[in-house]
Amino acid sequence: MAIHVLRTIVIALGVLILAVVGAIIWTAFDDGGDSGAASGGDNTQAAPDRLSLGLPSPACTIEQASTAAGRLTVITGGPANLPECRRVFVIQLSSGRIQTEVSP
């Protein structure tokens, strides 16, 4: 009698495990009716135009860049004879537009 009950429990647990594995596989391959690269949490916005900082010389360089609160802060510099290379730009990441430019 105990063996019959134990066998029934093992079979029920095996069926439950198969159902869970099937649900995991179904979820992994089901795109919810969406098709293409736009499914899931992907960004569907068009890429912004190329960003130009409008630096006065090819000798100007990006010295530091950091992101915070959806903005990119870029600090540029260059040779001592080109002080106009020293600028700080704040760029909105969602649009790619320069919000603020600070120069000495």
Side-chain angles (χ1 to χ4, degrees), residues 6-70:
L6 185 60
R7 185 182 304 163
T8 304
I9 292 173
V10 169
I11 291 172
L13 288 175
V15 169
L16 183 62
I17 289 171
L18 287 175
V20 169
V21 169
I24 291 171
I25 292 172
W26 178 272
T27 304
F29 292 106
D30 183 35
D31 64 356
D34 294 336
S35 61
S39 63
D42 296 339
N43 184 0
T44 59
Q45 294 180 348
D49 295 333
R50 290 186 66 134
L51 177 66
S52 174
L53 297 177
L55 297 173
S57 168
C60 298
T61 60
I62 295 175
E63 293 182 348
Q64 184 179 6
S66 61
T67 59

